[in-house]
């Protein structure tokens, strides 16, 4: 098995992911560049608010002759329909009640 020559992080949260991230998108890109990466995916929780930050930073780098690709994404959670969501919620509540009893 050969060792990969490149690494691209495909799961990254900046401060634009509520309660689960740190640093501005521009700082993440600088860190990636400093560590030999030329791409990074931003997958904020339920939003793509890092998109303009990362896009503008990538454009700035391009003007300086540096090739960096940001991959916009989102970390999202889906339920097939409202009724299944209600059932899942009810099941979780029941499990909490049972856990308190023991």
């Amino acid at each position: 098995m050969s060792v990969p020559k490149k690494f691209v992080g495909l799961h990254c949260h900046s401060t634009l992911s509520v309660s689960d991230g740190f640093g501005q998108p521009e700082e993440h890109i600088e860190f990636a560049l400093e560590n030999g990466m030329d791409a990074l995916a931003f997958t904020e929780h339920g939003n793509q608010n890092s998109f303009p930050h990362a896009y503008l930073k990538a454009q700035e780098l391009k003007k300086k002759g540096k090739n960096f690709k940001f991959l916009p994404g989102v970390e999202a959670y889906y339920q097939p329909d409202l009724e299944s969501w209600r059932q899942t919620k009810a099941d979780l509540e029941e499990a909490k009640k049972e856990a308190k009893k023991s």
Side-chain angles (χ1 to χ4, degrees):
M1 182 162 101
S2 64
V3 176
K5 292 183 169 74
K6 292 269 189 171
F7 173 82
V8 176
L10 298 177
H11 188 103
C12 173
H13 298 303
S14 72
T15 57
L16 300 171
S17 270
V18 178
S19 301
D20 187 25
F22 63 93
Q24 293 297 315
E26 298 87 348
E27 295 171 304
H28 284 260
I29 291 171
E30 288 296 332
F31 180 84
L33 288 168
E34 289 167 8
N35 287 279
M37 296 164 48
D38 59 5
L40 183 63
F42 287 92
T43 54
E44 310 296 2
H45 286 286
N47 73 72
Q48 288 190 328
N49 293 339
S50 56
F51 182 93
H53 298 271
Y55 175 82
L56 292 173
K57 182 66 176 179
Q59 292 301 310
E60 174 189 316
L61 291 167
K62 187 175 183 177
K63 286 179 186 174
K64 294 178 181 178
K66 294 182 182 178
N67 187 25
F68 185 85
K69 181 170 181 103
F70 82 97
L71 305 163
V74 65
E75 184 173 333
Y77 307 93
Y78 297 95
Q79 285 291 119
D81 57 54
L82 189 54
E83 188 52 43
S84 67
W85 174 81
R86 286 185 181 124
Q87 186 59 53
T88 299
K89 186 175 178 187
D91 292 345
L92 289 172
E93 291 298 321
E94 185 62 33
K96 285 181 189 177
K97 287 178 188 175
E98 292 297 319
K100 285 182 182 180
K101 288 179 185 177
S102 54

